[in-house]
């Protein structure tokens, strides 16, 4: 007993055209023989195709809903794809598995699908140190991707042989059946079951790639990281994705960058942030001292009377602007002041004398110069 076509696609009998199309796409990807090598996958794929052929055409679907299998038997309900106003099965097949997008075009029946197919794009995540992201440079990476088989040069056939034109469809990639029924004459077009739409068959498969025409290989690449990249920056490496089928071009490799945090520096767009701690005397009197920057140590001038959390800017010591490294941000240094909690016997009288000179009240409860420093 024939299975219910709605059950095959896993949709309700009330499903609309878009629901049926989405279900078909999902199942076709899963069971296509080029993807699924499990036993029975090919038969399941053919079953899915036939169910979609019936349910995707409103007139044929209506006959199926009314008369069941009898209304569409022997191809009676098979849709004539050349007359479809929406995307035909042939175009959907090509869109999913050959990398092309296309709608149903009247009259374009029997097209071969043995032409070149672009390979898939690949993604690689790469971590960078803080300074590597700022200044860029050359990085070596390892990738695993599909490369064209060197033994058969992508044909899938044993060296010295070549694929033959499919005898079932004569290279068209499709088979057509015309039948007469009580409802009229109908033509059904479907993917050739022998060559799966390629228009060619391989009698002697290449032993190196088992007829696939491509092999999984691991290789090293050197890429250039431009200055100023940040978390989420994407680099495109042309033609380093998976190799295309039947001599098609390779896809691209997309490298996504992620930057490790630094113990001393933080980043704010193209500016760099850091903190320096100085003594209260250095803050009062001012000083010069060396500070670290991404370019190395540099001398920083602390003006006399610097207040806590003052921000001092070092022009042009920040991050190069991505795409225009001649422009750089600034390095912003926040000044923290270290107030001691205890004084030595030598320091206390000196500071008490200074407080008297300024007329500040000191002693228990004193809130004058340096706060509670003298109350210890």
């Amino acid at each position: 007993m024939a299975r219910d076509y709605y059950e095959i696609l896993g949709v309700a009998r009330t499903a609309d055209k878009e629901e049926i199309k989405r279900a078909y796409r999902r199942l076709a990807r899963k069971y296509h023989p080029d993807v699924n090598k499990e036993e029975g996958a090919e038969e399941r794929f053919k079953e899915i195709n036939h169910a979609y052929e019936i349910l995707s055409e409103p007139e044929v679907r209506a006959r199926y809903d009314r008369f069941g299998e009898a209304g569409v038997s022997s191809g009676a309900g098979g849709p004539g794809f050349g007359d479809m106003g929406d995307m035909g099965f042939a175009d959907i097949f090509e869109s999913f598995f050959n990398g092309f997008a296309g709608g149903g075009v009247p009259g374009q029946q029997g097209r071969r699908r043995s032409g070149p197919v672009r390979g898939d794009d690949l993604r690689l995540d790469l971590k960078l140190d803080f300074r590597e992201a700022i200044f860029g440079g050359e990085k070596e990476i390892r990738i695993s991707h599909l490369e064209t088989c060197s033994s058969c040069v992508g044909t899938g056939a044993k060296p010295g042989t070549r694929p033959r034109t499919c005898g079932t469809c004569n290279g068209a990639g499709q088979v057509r059946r015309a039948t007469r029924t009580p409802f009229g004459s109908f033509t059904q077009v479907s993917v050739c079951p022998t060559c799966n739409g390629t228009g060619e068959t391989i009698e002697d498969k290449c032993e190196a790639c088992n007829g696939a025409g491509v092999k999984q290989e691991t290789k090293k690449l050197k890429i250039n990281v431009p200055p100023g990249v940040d978390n989420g920056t994407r680099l495109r490496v042309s033609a380093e994705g998976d190799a295309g089928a039947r001599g098609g071009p390779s896809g691209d490799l997309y490298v996504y960058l992620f930057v490790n945090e630094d113990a001393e520096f933080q980043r704010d767009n193209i500016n760099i942030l850091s903190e320096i701690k100085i003594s209260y005397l250095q803050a009062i009197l001012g000083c010069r001292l060396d500070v670290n920057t991404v370019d190395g140590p540099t001398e920083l001038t602390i003006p006399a009377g610097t207040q806590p959390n003052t921000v001092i800017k070092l022009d042009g010591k920040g991050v190069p602007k991505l795409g225009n490294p001649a422009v750089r941000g600034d390095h912003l240094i926040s000044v923290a002041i270290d107030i001691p909690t205890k004084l030595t016997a030598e320091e206390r009288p000196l500071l008490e004398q200074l407080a008297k000179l300024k007329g500040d009240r000191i002693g228990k409860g004193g809130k004058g110069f340096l706060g509670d420093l003298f109350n210890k």
Side-chain angles (χ1 to χ4, degrees), residues 127-137 139 225-231 233 257-260 267 319-320 322:
K127 283 192 173 183
L128 301 175
D129 290 334
F130 191 83
R131 286 172 175 80
E132 286 180 323
I134 291 173
F135 297 112
K139 292 286 290 184
V225 178
V229 297
D230 203 353
N231 279 312
T233 299
L257 303 179
F258 298 89
V259 183
N260 293 324
R267 181 168 171 177
V319 181
L322 185 61

Side-chain angles (χ1 to χ4, degrees), residues 273-277 308-312 331-336:
L273 313 178
S274 68
E275 182 180 277
I276 187 173
K277 184 175 286 188
N309 301 318
T310 296
V311 175
I312 299 176
H331 188 155
L332 306 177
I333 302 176
S334 178
V335 180

Side-chain angles (χ1 to χ4, degrees), residues 132-151:
E132 286 180 323
I134 291 173
F135 297 112
E138 189 175 75
K139 292 286 290 184
E140 184 176 87
I141 60 175
R142 292 173 62 90
I143 63 169
S144 178
H145 66 175
L146 293 176
E147 291 189 357
T148 300
C149 177
S150 57
S151 296

Side-chain angles (χ1 to χ4, degrees), residues 93-148:
F93 180 90
E94 194 166 42
S95 174
F96 294 157
F97 304 109
N98 291 354
F100 301 104
V105 181
Q108 287 192 343
Q109 308 251 347
R111 293 175 297 175
R112 290 187 56 169
R113 282 163 182 76
S114 58
V117 180
R118 183 181 184 275
D120 290 335
D121 294 333
L122 298 180
R123 168 176 175 156
L124 175 73
D125 292 344
L126 178 64
K127 283 192 173 183
L128 301 175
D129 290 334
F130 191 83
R131 286 172 175 80
E132 286 180 323
I134 291 173
F135 297 112
E138 189 175 75
K139 292 286 290 184
E140 184 176 87
I141 60 175
R142 292 173 62 90
I143 63 169
S144 178
H145 66 175
L146 293 176
E147 291 189 357
T148 300

Side-chain angles (χ1 to χ4, degrees), residues 122-281:
L122 298 180
R123 168 176 175 156
L124 175 73
D125 292 344
L126 178 64
K127 283 192 173 183
L128 301 175
D129 290 334
F130 191 83
R131 286 172 175 80
E132 286 180 323
I134 291 173
F135 297 112
E138 189 175 75
K139 292 286 290 184
E140 184 176 87
I141 60 175
R142 292 173 62 90
I143 63 169
S144 178
H145 66 175
L146 293 176
E147 291 189 357
T148 300
C149 177
S150 57
S151 296
C152 64
V153 199
T155 66
K158 185 177 180 179
T161 67
R162 57 185 301 173
R164 297 180 179 274
T165 300
C166 176
T168 302
C169 64
N170 293 322
Q174 299 174 342
V175 291
R176 304 176 64 176
R177 289 186 300 173
T179 58
R180 292 183 177 277
T181 74
F183 305 101
S185 179
F186 298 94
T187 299
Q188 180 180 354
V189 181
S190 59
V191 173
C192 176
T194 302
C195 66
N196 291 319
T198 65
E200 295 179 332
T201 57
I202 299 174
E203 295 182 357
D204 296 317
K205 293 183 178 180
C206 171
E207 295 180 356
C209 65
N210 196 31
V214 292
K215 294 175 62 179
Q216 195 77 25
E217 301 284 355
T218 299
K219 66 183 293 188
K220 293 181 180 180
L221 288 176
K222 289 185 178 181
I223 63 172
N224 289 315
V225 178
V229 297
D230 203 353
N231 279 312
T233 299
R234 187 184 75 171
L235 305 180
R236 175 176 170 267
V237 186
S238 179
E240 290 296 348
D242 283 342
R246 299 185 290 278
S250 296
D252 297 327
L253 171 67
Y254 289 92
V255 181
Y256 285 77
L257 303 179
F258 298 89
V259 183
N260 293 324
E261 293 184 356
D262 188 87
E264 186 174 4
F265 304 121
Q266 291 182 316
R267 181 168 171 177
D268 181 19
N269 197 2
I270 62 171
N271 293 326
I272 292 176
L273 313 178
S274 68
E275 182 180 277
I276 187 173
K277 184 175 286 188
I278 62 175
S279 73
Y280 66 97
L281 294 176

